[in-house]
Amino acid sequence: MKLFSKETYIKRRARLKELVGSGIIFLPGNNEASLNYADNHYRFRQDSTFLYYFGLNEAGLNAAIDCDSREEILFGNEFTVEDIIWIGQQEGLKSKSEKVGISDLRPSNSVIDFIAAAKGRKVHYLPPYRADILNTLSDLLDQTREHISKGSSVELIDAVIQQRSYKSSEELEQMTEAVNISGLMHINAMRSAATGKFEYETVADIYQTAKAHNSYLAYPAIFSINGQILHNHYHGNQMTEGRMVLNDSGAENAMCYSGDITRTFPVNGKFSTKQKEIYDIVLDMETSSIESLKPRLLYKDVHLASNKLMISKLKDLGLLKGDVEEMVNLGVGGLFMPHGLGHMIGMDVHDMENLGENRVGYREGLERSTQLGLKSLRLGKELEKDFVITVEPGLYFIPDLIEKWKAEKKFEDFINYEKLKEYYNFGGVRIEDDVLITENGSEILGNPIPKTTKEVETTMAS
């Protein structure tokens, strides 16, 4: 079990008490989830906020922090001999809890009496995203599930976002490790892919690379010759001559910090002229966006600048026509990039989004757009020092979407629908890195991962 220092967790909890102020903070840990019968479980993953404050990545735990009495309590049971028969000798829960600065360890079922004794006091909890946690909160607080779903603590949500948004040096060390493992996953995928192979054969190399570095995937791999499908988890296609592969995959390291990297490459190892034209537009979008990053810059503006660059380049190719600024303002770019430029990343690949996407990525006075593409921008607010974000522009040719807009005569004064037919079998390109916002600019985390067409071709040839 890997942990930060005891002092790290003590300081995090002390700061949380200050931010919330009064009442009881209740943080339920995750439980085992059964795959197809009770004793056959999915891979266990602890709730990220529980991990942030208590560090213990194991099932069956709950925690409480009393902001008034300053008590910090962990609820959980020690392993029995019967448990040890099946899973072997384990470090005791008391020993583990002491390593994260908790001396008050109580049996699991004592949480019922603890919450009952708090009747009349404010109990702060975060929005539950698992049904079993929703049911637990409903039972403990004697409230309907509907009430629990709507009754999470805004004070606690804002306090957690306030802390977890800013990555410490020790967190950055873990994130850099996750990015470096992710980079190896991508390099090995480039070297593995070949004409005639099936996608799943290369996906196996991605998973193997993660596991060989004591990691898991931070999210199911997106790996497909159909890169125009934004979250394509199907891996049964044969990689054929003339196609490109979009690989969006990242590692989650032993301390549950995530990498989120995307690269796109030609199956045969050489970009065609058409592929290079589109690829270089996306590369230009990504590199120019990263170069612009700095504190106090509205990330929504970076998205729009990237969109403007894309529209201008597509106009040069004859796919668009008319005034570039007008097309940006009207949302014409959503046809080609129907997602946002990026999001926060940390322990969660979309960091803290279980707390409410708008609370994490927006602020009062900054509303989300309703335009295709811009409405999916998860992070729109001003950037700040020690944020870590993804920068992931893409350019896609989605025949169904193009045909829909064409039938609706949407933006027909700007879009060359006839010429777009030449790209119906193209797929899509996305390029993504994880970036730290520094005092005066930004820094891409981790070792360089092949990104230019020359670097990709050289890697695939090796």
Side-chain angles (χ1 to χ4, degrees):
M1 179 182 68
K2 294 188 69 174
L3 295 167
F4 292 125
S5 69
K6 174 167 62 176
E7 289 69 31
T8 291
Y9 299 105
I10 291 172
K11 288 178 181 177
R12 286 174 176 177
R13 295 191 296 266
R15 178 61 178 152
L16 183 64
K17 291 174 198 171
E18 291 175 10
L19 290 170
V20 174
S22 64
I24 292 172
I25 299 167
F26 183 61
L27 296 176
N30 282 338
N31 300 308
E32 297 282 14
S34 296
L35 175 59
N36 53 0
Y37 61 90
D39 290 332
N40 189 25
H41 301 138
Y42 288 97
R43 174 210 164 203
F44 176 77
R45 169 57 154 84
Q46 185 60 280
D47 173 76
S48 294
T49 299
F50 187 96
L51 271 181
Y52 185 82
Y53 293 107
F54 290 89
L56 303 182
N57 191 19
E58 59 185 76
L61 304 177
N62 292 297
I65 300 172
D66 192 320
C67 297
D68 303 305
S69 71
R70 320 302 287 175
E71 288 179 291
E72 300 175 346
I73 306 161
L74 187 67
F75 301 93
N77 296 329
E78 295 283 7
F79 289 109
T80 66
V81 171
E82 189 167 335
D83 294 324
I84 292 169
I85 291 171
W86 291 100
I87 61 175
Q89 187 63 49
Q90 304 289 315
E91 181 180 6
L93 185 56
K94 180 175 175 55
S95 171
K96 292 177 183 177
S97 63
E98 289 171 350
K99 289 180 178 178
V100 295
I102 297 294
S103 57
D104 192 346
L105 175 64
R106 303 182 189 180
S108 290
N109 60 7
S110 65
V111 71
I112 299 171
D113 292 335
F114 176 83
I115 296 295
K119 192 169 184 179
R121 299 180 63 199
K122 172 74 172 178
V123 177
H124 302 271
Y125 62 88
L126 298 174
Y129 56 91
R130 287 190 170 189
D132 59 331
I133 302 300
L134 176 62
N135 291 336
T136 295
L137 288 168
S138 176
D139 291 341
L140 287 174
L141 299 175
D142 194 25
Q143 300 282 354
T144 66
R145 288 191 293 274
E146 182 180 9
H147 181 91
I148 294 296
S149 295
K150 297 177 180 178
S152 53
S153 167
V154 172
E155 299 95 327
L156 180 57
I157 291 170
D158 289 344
V160 171
I161 293 172
Q162 170 66 17
Q163 285 188 268
R164 286 182 56 192
S165 291
Y166 305 92
K167 303 305 186 284
S168 66
S169 58
E170 57 190 357
E171 287 184 288
L172 291 172
E173 184 179 338
Q174 295 301 317
M175 293 189 70
T176 299
E177 179 184 78
V179 169
N180 285 338
I181 297 168
S182 303
L184 293 175
M185 289 159 48
H186 282 267
I187 290 169
N188 288 342
M190 290 179 190
R191 291 172 174 165
S192 166
T195 301
K197 290 180 74 170
F198 284 88
E199 294 163 342
Y200 55 73
E201 295 180 79
T202 297
V203 170
D205 290 317
I206 293 171
Y207 278 77
Q208 191 275 338
T209 303
K211 196 61 181 171
H213 291 83
N214 194 30
S215 296
Y216 291 90
L217 264 65
Y219 51 96
I222 299 165
F223 185 94
S224 180
I225 58 173
N226 290 312
Q228 78 280 5
I229 303 173
L230 301 185
H231 281 184
N232 194 341
H233 299 299
Y234 175 74
H235 305 136
N237 297 304
Q238 191 172 31
M239 293 182 278
T240 53
E241 188 74 19
R243 299 304 299 270
M244 287 196 296
V245 176
L246 190 151
N247 177 17
D248 184 340
S249 55
E252 179 180 276
N253 77 346
M255 290 195 70
C256 295
Y257 282 86
S258 295
D260 186 2
I261 304 295
T262 306
R263 293 292 185 266
T264 310
F265 55 87
V267 168
N268 66 3
K270 295 289 290 184
F271 288 91
S272 69
T273 300
K274 181 183 281 189
Q275 288 171 346
K276 189 175 187 303
E277 285 175 344
I278 300 301
Y279 186 93
D280 282 344
I281 292 174
V282 180
L283 182 61
D284 198 1
M285 293 163 69
E286 202 231 15
T287 54
S288 62
S289 295
I290 293 173
E291 287 169 1
S292 74
L293 299 178
K294 59 184 179 181
R296 296 175 296 283
L297 179 65
L298 202 68
Y299 201 48
K300 178 182 178 181
D301 288 343
V302 185
H303 173 103
L304 291 172
S306 177
N307 210 253
K308 180 179 178 180
L309 176 60
M310 176 184 69
I311 287 172
S312 177
K313 298 284 188 178
L314 290 176
K315 182 179 176 181
D316 292 342
L317 291 178
L319 297 175
L320 295 174
K321 53 192 175 181
D323 185 76
V324 172
E325 289 285 355
E326 188 176 2
M327 284 190 274
V328 172
N329 293 334
L330 290 172
V332 174
L335 179 64
F336 303 97
M337 183 174 149
H339 63 74
L341 185 64
H343 50 78
M344 303 277 265
I345 182 171
M347 277 191 284
D348 305 321
V349 67
H350 289 176
D351 210 26
M352 301 175 286
E353 286 188 7
N354 62 299
L355 304 181
E357 201 173 290
N358 285 349
R359 299 199 79 86
V360 174
Y362 288 78
R363 57 161 170 76
E364 188 175 349
L366 181 64
E367 302 301 322
R368 288 184 84 140
S369 171
T370 58
Q371 289 180 353
L372 181 64
L374 189 54
K375 71 179 181 180
S376 296
L377 178 63
R378 291 177 161 93
L379 174 63
K381 67 184 180 182
E382 291 84 358
L383 301 174
E384 297 186 50
K385 181 179 179 294
D386 296 329
F387 280 13
V388 180
I389 66 172
T390 67
V391 180
E392 49 178 311
L395 204 169
Y396 316 88
F397 298 93
I398 308 170
D400 290 339
L401 180 60
I402 296 170
E403 286 294 323
K404 180 177 183 294
W405 278 27
K406 181 182 178 183
E408 295 171 353
K409 302 185 184 305
K410 191 168 184 176
F411 301 133
E412 60 182 356
D413 292 338
F414 300 102
I415 300 171
N416 188 340
Y417 285 108
E418 193 61 33
K419 190 169 179 60
L420 275 177
K421 290 180 180 177
E422 299 172 15
Y423 291 81
Y424 276 19
N425 292 318
F426 185 90
V429 175
R430 183 162 67 251
I431 304 172
E432 176 184 21
D433 287 297
D434 302 336
V435 184
L436 167 68
I437 306 303
T438 60
E439 188 169 357
N440 298 307
S442 69
E443 174 187 325
I444 298 175
L445 290 187
N447 301 323
I449 305 165
K451 187 159 60 174
T452 67
T453 54
K454 183 178 180 181
E455 290 168 348
V456 170
E457 289 177 348
T458 299
T459 300
M460 295 187 73
S462 68

